[in-house]
Structure formats: structure tokens, C-alpha cells
């Protein structure tokens, strides 16, 4: 979003790197190599700190070492949940940062990852819900041409145009590809959404979304229902 001039709503002090590897030994080899460049392990099992530059990085491994969509760090009794990493990064967006080319999740992929992260730890991941809403709020303008060309059926014939609902619907359609390739992702995402649209007054997502907004809980749930509709339409483009 930043490349389109939309500044982030909050800052982060660390940089996360998702790396596909085949063993914990391979992970430890990478950590040791980074130690030669001043990145030293801290207490958290996947976190390194560089004192010279005051930078924290998280190395988030995934790949053959996954078991039940988690990576276990042996004696540290810590599980890293990696559900969705592989699937989302199979269809990345390429971004140039100065002279480097990096691959990052697309916005629909980011919504999926953030929903999974929130559902893992809803008591401490409210910021993920804020990020999802921010994506919905800007998605219409960021993808206007694509929406008009390929998703004009989402425009109401009589009612007033609601950009947020259209954005949520199209994001759902785009994100459905990740549900189609993974039953685990499909089950997790649909359960999370269903749990938050069945009873408006008990929707944790809607309650978080209406904070600092002049919205009703009902309207927030309607946006979430549009996202669900896009997911289950199974219309990818």
C-alpha cells in the first residue's frame, strides 16, 4: 500500500522474514551465519537482534519441518503457527525496495494470514483486525480498474454504491484461491467468519471494527458477510 502513497497506520520495530527450509538443523545453520553479521539470538526462539543497527528480525521457518501447521522449537516449548504461509507465498506480489526485489503476500493473501493470526490469538491480535479493515477501506481505489472490468456485478443496480462492501466482496473472491488449495485454510477461515456473523452482538471482529467508527455492529457484520460471500462464490479472477 505504501508504494501507492498510503502510509501505514502504525509502525513496527521488527522485520519478519518467512523462509522455506527442510529441517531445524538448516534453520540453526542460517542463524549461525547471521551471527557473523551481528545478528544474535535472543530469548524468543526465532528472533535475532543487531545491536549496531538496533534492528530486530524474526525468521519464520516453514516447509518440510511443519507438523500440523506448526513449527516446534524443541526444548523451548514454543510453537510457531505457519498455516497459510506456503499457500499465500505461491502467488506473491513483487515489490522493489531500492535496488532489491522482494516477494510479499498480495493484499488478499495478507487478509488470509491476518485472519489466521487473529484466530490463533484473538486476545492479543486486535491490530490484525485493524489492518484487515484498512485494506478493505483502500482496496476499492487501489484496484478500481480491475473491479470495474471484472467485478462490475458487485455494483448495486438501485441501492447507493457502498465501496467498503464491494471491496470486501472482491477481496473474498480473490482470497478464495487460498481456500481452494488447502482444506485447513478453508476450514479455519470459514469457521472464523461464520463465528463472527451468526450473532451480531457477539461478533468480536465487528466490535473491533466499530471502534473509532460511526458504524453500527450490524453494518460491520454486513461488510464481513460480503467478504464471506466472495469467498464462497468460488469466482477467481
Amino acid at each position: 500500500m505504501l508504494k501507492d502513497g498510503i502510509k501505514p497506520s502504525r509502525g513496527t520495530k521488527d522485520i519478519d522474514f518467512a523462509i522455506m527450509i527442510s529441517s531445524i538443523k538448516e534453520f540453526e545453520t542460517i542463524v549461525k551465519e547471521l551471527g557473523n553479521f551481528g545478528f544474535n539470538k535472543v530469548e524468543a526462539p526465532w528472533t535475532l537482534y543487531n545491536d549496531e543497527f538496533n534492528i530486530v528480525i524474526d525468521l519464520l521457518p516453514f516447509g518440510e519441518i511443519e507438523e500440523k501447521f506448526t513449527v516446534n522449537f524443541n526444548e523451548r516449548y514454543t510453537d510457531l503457527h505457519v498455516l497459510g504461509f506456503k499457500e499465500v507465498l505461491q502467488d506473491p506480489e513483487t515489490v522493489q525496495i531500492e535496488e532489491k526485489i522482494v516477494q510479499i503476500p498480495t493484499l488478499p493473501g495478507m487478509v488470509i494470514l491476518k485472519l489466521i493470526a487473529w484466530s490463533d490469538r484473538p486476545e492479543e491480535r486486535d491490530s490484525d483486525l485493524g489492518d484487515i479493515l484498512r485494506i478493505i477501506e483502500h482496496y476499492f481505489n487501489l484496484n478500481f480498474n480491475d473491479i470495474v472490468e471484472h467485478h462490475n456485478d458487485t455494483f448495486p443496480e438501485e441501492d447507493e454504491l457502498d465501496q467498503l462492501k464491494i471491496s470486501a466482496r472482491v477481496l473474498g473472491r480473490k482470497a478464495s484461491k487460498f481456500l481452494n488449495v488447502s482444506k485447513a485454510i478453508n476450514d479455519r477461515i470459514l469457521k472464523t467468519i461464520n463465528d463472527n456473523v451468526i450473532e451480531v452482538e457477539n461478533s468480536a471482529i465487528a466490535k473491533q471494527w466499530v471502534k473509532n467508527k460511526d458504524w453500527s455492529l450490524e453494518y460491520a457484520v454486513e461488510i464481513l458477510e460480503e467478504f464471506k460471500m466472495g469467498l464462497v462464490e468460488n469466482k477467481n479472477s
Side-chain angles (χ1 to χ4, degrees):
M1 292 170 69
L2 184 60
K3 67 184 178 63
D4 291 295
I6 301 171
K7 295 182 179 180
S9 57
R10 58 188 173 88
T12 181
K13 294 182 179 179
D14 67 347
I15 304 173
D16 296 344
F17 293 92
I19 55 174
M20 182 177 286
I21 57 176
S22 58
S23 67
I24 290 294
K25 183 177 180 180
E26 193 172 344
F27 177 80
E28 292 172 347
T29 299
I30 294 172
V31 169
K32 183 178 179 180
E33 181 69 20
L34 286 171
N36 297 329
F37 295 90
F39 288 93
N40 300 307
K41 289 289 283 95
V42 298
E43 184 176 356
W46 58 82
T47 302
L48 297 93
Y49 175 69
N50 187 299
D51 184 65
E52 179 182 356
F53 297 105
N54 190 27
I55 289 177
V56 175
I57 64 171
D58 283 350
L59 292 180
L60 310 178
F62 66 103
E64 293 182 13
I65 58 174
E66 295 176 31
E67 183 177 353
K68 295 182 180 178
F69 309 107
T70 65
V71 176
N72 183 268
F73 286 82
N74 302 328
E75 299 175 2
R76 294 182 181 272
Y77 307 106
T78 301
D79 287 338
L80 171 64
H81 292 255
V82 293
L83 177 62
F85 278 23
K86 206 163 25 183
E87 291 79 8
V88 166
L89 290 175
Q90 285 176 353
D91 182 30
E93 180 172 343
T94 300
V95 175
Q96 183 165 350
I97 303 176
E98 296 179 349
E99 74 279 5
K100 302 294 184 180
I101 300 294
V102 296
Q103 292 184 326
I104 63 173
T106 61
L107 290 179
M110 190 68 74
V111 169
I112 292 296
L113 291 179
K114 287 185 174 293
L115 277 173
I116 291 172
W118 177 79
S119 66
D120 278 335
R121 292 178 291 168
E123 69 283 353
E124 56 183 83
R125 301 288 305 197
D126 282 348
S127 60
D128 287 317
L129 298 182
D131 292 339
I132 292 169
L133 179 57
R134 188 170 175 81
I135 291 173
I136 293 173
E137 288 177 320
H138 289 283
Y139 196 78
F140 186 89
N141 289 331
L142 290 175
N143 296 272
F144 177 78
N145 291 336
D146 176 66
I147 291 173
V148 170
E149 184 174 355
H150 300 291
H151 303 276
N152 54 40
D153 62 303
T154 62
F155 287 71
E157 295 181 2
E158 298 180 359
D159 297 336
E160 183 178 348
L161 184 147
D162 189 321
Q163 294 185 8
L164 294 180
K165 290 183 178 181
I166 293 174
S167 293
R169 181 87 165 270
V170 176
L171 274 167
R173 290 178 175 181
K174 299 284 188 178
S176 67
K177 69 175 70 176
F178 306 116
L179 276 63
N180 294 338
V181 298
S182 169
K183 183 179 185 302
I185 294 177
N186 180 82
D187 293 348
R188 173 72 71 89
I189 294 299
L190 291 184
K191 182 182 186 306
T192 299
I193 299 298
N194 286 331
D195 287 348
N196 281 270
V197 299
I198 293 175
E199 296 181 355
V200 172
E201 63 275 11
N202 293 325
S203 175
I205 294 178
K207 288 179 179 179
Q208 183 63 28
W209 279 359
V210 299
K211 289 183 178 180
N212 303 317
K213 296 287 184 183
D214 187 22
W215 295 353
S216 65
L217 279 175
E218 288 79 6
Y219 177 69
V221 169
E222 286 174 8
I223 295 174
L224 197 56
E225 287 176 332
E226 288 290 335
F227 178 72
K228 176 187 174 181
M229 190 179 301
L231 287 174
V232 301
E233 282 174 329
N234 198 26
K235 178 181 179 180
N236 300 318
S237 56

